[in-house]
Amino acid sequence: MKILLTHGYFLNDDPKEREIMRPYPPLGMLYVSAWLEKQGYDNDVFDTTFSSFQDLCNKILETSPEVLAIYTNLMTKLNVLRLISFVRNQKELEQTRIILGGPEVKNHKENFLKHGADYLVLGEGEQTMFELVDSLKFQRDISVVEGIAYLRDGQVAVTPERSQMRELDQLPLPNRKKINLQRYFDAWKEKHGTSAISINTMRGCPYTCKWCSRAVYGLSYRRRSPRHVADEMEWISANYEVDSIWFVDDVFTISHKWLKEFVTEINARGLVKPFECITRADRMNAEVIQLLKDAGCFRVWIGAESGSQKVIDLMDRRVDVNQVRQMIIESQKAGIQAGTFIMVGYPGETKADIDETILHLKESNPDLFTITVAYPIKGTELYQEVESRFVDQLPWDKSTDRQIDFKRTYTRKYYDYAVRLIVNDVNSHKASLKGEWVVFAKLKSKAMVARLAMTLMS
């Protein structure tokens, strides 16, 4: 069978991401590609990150694949719908079966299927994709394939949920040779001076944050062995010249036992390389920080989301904001940069909570922080809590969950100003610590304007 895998994310269409310029290849799709090859199914991968929608359409017309598999997430949803419409309007592609997978499809099954998708892969995709493709090739009954959805007599049919893969070491390494990684390295080099490559060592997250989607891996925690991860690092070193690693796991230090074994393994094999990762403050301590340092960690992202313990508890984050501050400071003392994440506009947040977030960022003084306004993703507890308070009912095929607004303590515009306030006030504080008084004055004035706007709107 001619199988084409793609994902529909176009960097050139995303001004914010172009400014940040930290693109990473779609590892999930490359794992599926490698698994299909392991089972004897050759496939082609069209990486759209540095391409265009027209290039993708040309590729599909050129290859006329029997199976077009598209990774679908919140960012790519609208492009995926546009691509489905394109395929369905080409006479020469009448025989192409469209299969969608990824985090966006599980909670929108009927909409995607009635928009033109033939099959949806729900949850973990490798084995499901193989069995579905195999059934299509040999014209077997697809209803026995676990973990899929499709239309049967105009109604959505969903097969039994597939059990999660327990031994992740059986996964082949992601099929990186199918795409041009050099384009990623070059983009990083041009913007940041160093290049990076992503590695995934675990699947799932056992924590309960109400705003976080678990559509693919659920509430689980499974890990590749340290040896298997080290094998991947060794393969990367043998095949690419890259400066650093980004471990994309939700909580890299969740298992201290695993971390110790990992540090021992990569040191014994001479594989220590600069890397950054994400974790939680409650899974850190002095020993963990030293282990990260010994493994080559140059930056650790420690989730906070808010400086207000009240808001953190509303999110069901189950972490102490004081511990977050301490771990940021202790990481920096050890010579590791610390980054953190902030979210404003969560239900129940007040002006006082926003001020606590500013104080939190000033006291902990992370090297980097990102900030976003909360939005509800379908399937999450946050979505269920605020669904009855949606401001507008947006057309599904022309919007994403990112655009959903709901009735909060203040208006959506208020939180836009809150973002400006936090960014400028905290960065003015950083400038004052460095004695950069001109920068301080400029940023402080912007913060004052934002605070005034918030006062007028409250």
Side-chain angles (χ1 to χ4, degrees), residues 365-427:
N365 195 27
D367 297 278
L368 299 165
F369 66 95
T370 68
I371 187 166
T372 187
V373 178
Y375 57 87
I377 300 173
K378 190 167 184 181
T380 64
E381 291 180 64
L382 173 59
Y383 189 100
Q384 294 170 3
E385 287 182 6
V386 303
E387 188 173 9
S388 63
R389 292 185 282 163
F390 285 179
V391 174
D392 297 301
Q393 294 300 319
L394 302 173
W396 179 82
D397 60 341
K398 293 180 174 59
S399 63
T400 74
D401 291 350
R402 279 185 167 188
Q403 296 167 264
I404 295 175
D405 192 17
F406 56 92
K407 294 179 182 177
R408 322 179 198 227
T409 310
Y410 309 106
T411 65
R412 177 63 171 77
K413 190 66 176 176
Y414 180 95
Y415 294 107
D416 289 336
Y417 281 112
V419 170
R420 296 183 197 178
L421 169 64
I422 294 169
V423 169
N424 288 295
D425 202 356
V426 173
N427 284 333

Side-chain angles (χ1 to χ4, degrees), residues 111-129:
N111 284 327
F112 277 115
L113 290 168
K114 292 194 171 179
H115 195 85
D118 292 296
Y119 307 100
L120 308 179
V121 171
L122 310 176
E124 205 162 48
E126 288 86 1
Q127 184 64 13
T128 303
M129 184 66 181

Side-chain angles (χ1 to χ4, degrees), residues 131-384:
E131 291 182 15
L132 178 55
V133 166
D134 204 54
S135 296
L136 292 173
K137 178 178 180 179
F138 295 105
Q139 299 183 339
R140 291 196 292 263
D141 181 11
I142 62 168
S143 67
V144 302
V145 178
E146 295 178 337
I148 65 169
Y150 58 98
L151 290 180
R152 184 169 56 200
D153 300 324
Q155 300 299 314
V156 177
V158 182
T159 64
E161 185 176 351
R162 179 174 298 278
S163 297
Q164 293 176 334
M165 191 179 296
R166 302 311 308 172
E167 298 297 330
L168 297 188
D169 281 10
Q170 67 181 295
L171 287 167
L173 299 185
N175 219 346
R176 291 185 175 92
K177 287 295 186 180
K178 288 283 188 180
I179 66 174
N180 183 2
L181 277 186
Q182 191 60 46
R183 301 189 73 175
Y184 290 88
F185 301 156
D186 292 345
W188 271 78
K189 280 275 191 183
E190 184 176 343
K191 179 71 175 182
H192 307 287
T194 59
S195 58
I197 194 168
S198 53
I199 295 178
N200 193 326
T201 79
M202 60 180 276
R203 289 189 171 182
C205 177
Y207 294 98
T208 54
C209 308
K210 291 183 178 180
W211 42 263
C212 191
S213 175
R214 305 179 190 91
V216 176
Y217 300 131
L219 195 67
S220 69
Y221 167 69
R222 293 160 293 143
R223 201 90 186 241
R224 298 164 57 198
S225 70
R227 178 178 293 275
H228 197 251
V229 176
D231 288 344
E232 181 172 5
M233 294 171 66
E234 192 168 59
W235 183 90
I236 288 170
S237 295
N239 286 273
Y240 300 104
E241 290 185 11
V242 61
D243 300 316
S244 65
I245 295 170
W246 168 238
F247 286 109
V248 297
D249 313 310
D250 289 332
V251 190
F252 187 73
T253 68
I254 188 170
S255 169
H256 297 175
K257 178 177 181 293
W258 184 94
L259 183 61
K260 290 175 186 176
E261 293 175 358
F262 174 71
V263 174
T264 299
E265 184 73 25
I266 63 172
N267 273 276
R269 293 165 63 170
L271 294 172
V272 173
K273 196 177 191 68
F275 74 87
E276 60 182 308
C277 62
I278 302 172
T279 190
R280 291 169 54 98
D282 58 334
R283 299 310 302 154
M284 293 186 73
N285 54 39
E287 181 185 18
V288 167
I289 291 172
Q290 187 58 52
L291 285 168
L292 289 173
K293 184 75 173 175
D294 293 343
C297 181
F298 72 90
R299 181 184 298 138
V300 59
W301 292 85
I302 305 170
E305 308 306 338
S306 176
S308 164
Q309 190 64 50
K310 181 196 84 176
V311 175
I312 289 174
D313 292 342
L314 287 171
M315 296 174 175
D316 201 16
R317 283 278 294 159
R318 305 186 187 184
V319 69
D320 185 330
V321 68
N322 294 307
Q323 190 177 19
V324 175
R325 291 172 193 161
Q326 181 186 359
M327 289 301 103
I328 288 173
I329 293 168
E330 292 302 316
S331 296
Q332 291 172 322
K333 285 181 180 178
I336 300 175
Q337 289 184 17
T340 196
F341 308 109
I342 295 296
M343 182 185 295
V344 297
Y346 200 82
E349 184 183 57
T350 65
K351 177 180 177 294
D353 297 314
I354 293 171
D355 285 337
E356 283 192 54
T357 292
I358 293 172
L359 180 64
H360 161 70
L361 289 171
K362 288 181 178 180
E363 288 187 354
S364 58
N365 195 27
D367 297 278
L368 299 165
F369 66 95
T370 68
I371 187 166
T372 187
V373 178
Y375 57 87
I377 300 173
K378 190 167 184 181
T380 64
E381 291 180 64
L382 173 59
Y383 189 100
Q384 294 170 3

Side-chain angles (χ1 to χ4, degrees), residues 424 428 436-448:
N424 288 295
S428 71
E436 298 173 348
W437 300 113
V438 174
V439 175
F440 164 80
K442 181 178 179 181
L443 294 175
K444 197 65 176 179
S445 63
K446 289 183 177 180
M448 293 171 64

Side-chain angles (χ1 to χ4, degrees), residues 6-71:
T6 192
H7 58 102
Y9 174 71
F10 306 99
L11 184 60
N12 283 336
D13 295 342
D14 194 330
K16 183 178 289 187
E17 289 300 319
R18 282 207 313 275
E19 174 61 28
I20 297 170
M21 196 52 73
R22 291 170 60 93
Y24 289 102
L27 279 182
M29 188 175 74
L30 299 182
Y31 268 113
V32 171
S33 172
W35 187 263
L36 288 174
E37 281 196 353
K38 181 180 178 180
Q39 308 302 328
Y41 278 94
D42 191 19
N43 58 84
D44 195 6
V45 175
F46 188 84
D47 180 15
T48 60
T49 301
F50 297 98
S51 189
S52 69
F53 185 81
Q54 188 58 55
D55 290 337
L56 176 55
C57 292
N58 292 341
K59 176 69 174 181
I60 295 170
L61 287 172
E62 173 191 327
T63 57
S64 293
E66 294 163 78
V67 169
L68 175 63
I70 313 171
Y71 175 80

